[in-house]
Every structure is written in structure tokens, then in C-alpha cells.
Amino acid sequence: MTIKLIGAAAIIISSWVAGIMFSMKSAYRLEDLEEFKKAVSIFSDSISLSAPPISEIFKDISKRVNGPVAMIFDDAGKMAEGKNYPSAEEIFKNAVDKNIKNLYFEAGEMDCLYSFGKNLDLEYSHEQKNGASIIISNINLNQKALKEQAEKDKRLYSSAGVLCGILMCVILF
Amino acid sequence: MDINIVFQIAAVGILVAVLNQVLMRAGREEQAMLTTLAGLVVVLFWVIQYIDRLFTTVQTLFRL
């Protein structure tokens, strides 16, 4: 009987933890989005203050942000130094595709990411700045909806995890 | 027939109902329906052997 109780407690706790881990996906997505917003702001400030080479801007951004977004800019900086690609957009797209499995972004955020890449090929710095501010406003809108979704998901998955654990115990015992 | 089966079926019913409500309120109607169906399948799986025994007993009693 004691072993049954310990087993039941283990099942319930492990399914609760599994539920919480599912809900963390939204939290990681929010974090990545925040880092990308920071990266776009740093890019916008860098091009308004001076006109350094794109590889230096990417490397600077990769040092100042965290997570998969930093890895994207680090790879983009290395590719830009190598000068093997015809355009900055292609460099950025390749860097994103290389790190896509580390990102928690969905379709909307991936569109923002690729449109930032297209922004890099614009001729004038004021056009690039305008593009960057449009991307930042899109991100702000997405973030607001995501925060509410993350709160709901956290409550849903943790309670669903506990209920599924209890259901499994009832079925098995 | 063990009486525990009745309590098990009742517990599954309550848990499935609660899970159904939680999922409906979170806007996941499809997953709520799937949960209900899964609970129904599990309970039917338990009950089917007793139904089989009932039919066999009725056949034996009335020599059908």
C-alpha cells in the first residue's frame, strides 16, 4: 500500500512537472522576443550614430543580447566577415536558418525576423531606421498578446498536468 | 463483480468532467472533446467484460 501511494505521488508530481514544462514554451518565446527587440533597437542606434561595417554591428549585438538571438547575430557576424554572400539579407537568413531549432518563435515572429533581414538591404540608413521602428512596434503588439497567452497557458498546463496524473493513477490502480 | 470498479468509473467520470471544463474555458474545445472521448473509451473497456458476462448469463438462464 505504501509503495502504491509513493508510485501515485510520483505519477502526479511528474505529470504536474511535465505540464509546467509545456507552459514554459510560451515563457521562452517571450524571452526570445524581448531579446530580438533589444537587438533591433541596438541595430537602429548603431546605424544612426555611425556607419560601421555590418559584421561589426552584428558582433556588437551578439555580445549585448542573450540566448538564441545572440547566436543568430554571432553567426551572421562571422558570415559577414567571410564575405561569401551577395547581400546582408542572405547572410541574416542563413544565420536564422542555422539557429532555427533553438528558437521558440512561431510564424508571426519568424516573419518579423525575416523582415528585419530584408530591412538590412535598404539603401539609406533612415529607411533602415524606419523599418526597424516598424518591426519594434510589431514586436510590442505581439508581446502584449503573448504575455496574456503565457499566463493562461501556465494555469492551464499545470492544472491539466495534475488532473491527468490523478486520472492515470485511477486507471492504473 | 468487484465494487471498486464502480468507484473507479465514478472517479474517471468526475476527473474527465473537470478536465473538460478546464480545457473548454481555456478555449481548447477540440482537446476537451478528445479528453471526453478518451475517458469514455477507457470506461467502456472496463465495462465490456461485464456486459459480455451479463449476456452469457442471460443466454444460459433462458437456454437461448
Side-chain angles (χ1 to χ4, degrees), chain A residues 28-47:
Chain A
Y28 291 145
R29 195 173 144 200
L30 257 176
E31 264 179 36
D32 286 348
L33 203 54
E34 186 59 41
E35 294 300 318
F36 179 53
K37 189 171 107 173
K38 219 195 298 181
V40 174
S41 302
I42 295 168
F43 173 79
S44 183
D45 293 340
S46 304
I47 58 169

Side-chain angles (χ1 to χ4, degrees), chain A residues 157-169:
Chain A
Y157 286 120
S158 56
S159 52
V162 169
L163 285 169
C164 286
I166 297 171
L167 193 57
M168 273 194 284
C169 291

Side-chain angles (χ1 to χ4, degrees), chain A residues 72-137:
Chain A
I72 289 172
F73 281 95
D74 188 44
D75 286 336
K78 286 176 187 159
M79 287 181 205
E81 263 182 353
K83 295 185 180 151
N84 292 328
Y85 298 91
S87 66
E89 182 189 346
E90 208 177 312
I91 289 169
F92 191 75
K93 190 177 177 303
N94 286 333
V96 167
D97 292 340
K98 195 177 162 194
N99 289 287
I100 203 160
K101 57 185 181 312
N102 300 325
L103 280 171
Y104 288 91
F105 284 170
E106 293 193 3
E109 290 100 51
M110 290 306 295
D111 284 342
C112 275
L113 209 49
Y114 288 127
S115 62
F116 176 73
K118 286 190 180 124
N119 196 46
L120 295 170
D121 272 346
L122 293 171
E123 210 176 317
Y124 300 107
S125 62
H126 72 268
E127 284 175 349
Q128 288 181 342
K129 266 201 90 172
N130 288 340
S133 49
I134 290 169
I135 290 169
I136 288 173
S137 10

Side-chain angles (χ1 to χ4, degrees), chain A residues 149 152-153 155-157 159-161 163-164 166-167 169-173, chain B residues 7-9 11-12 15-16 18-19 22-23 25-26 28 31 35 42 46:
Chain A
Q149 187 63 32
K152 263 192 193 174
D153 280 353
R155 283 194 303 262
L156 167 68
Y157 286 120
S159 52
L163 285 169
C164 286
I166 297 171
L167 193 57
C169 291
V170 168
I171 290 170
L172 291 172
F173 293 123
Chain B
F7 297 129
Q8 269 187 308
I9 291 170
V12 167
L15 287 167
V16 162
V18 170
L19 203 50
V22 165
L23 288 167
R25 280 174 196 273
R28 316 273 174 116
Q31 280 134 344
T35 313
V42 165
W46 287 340

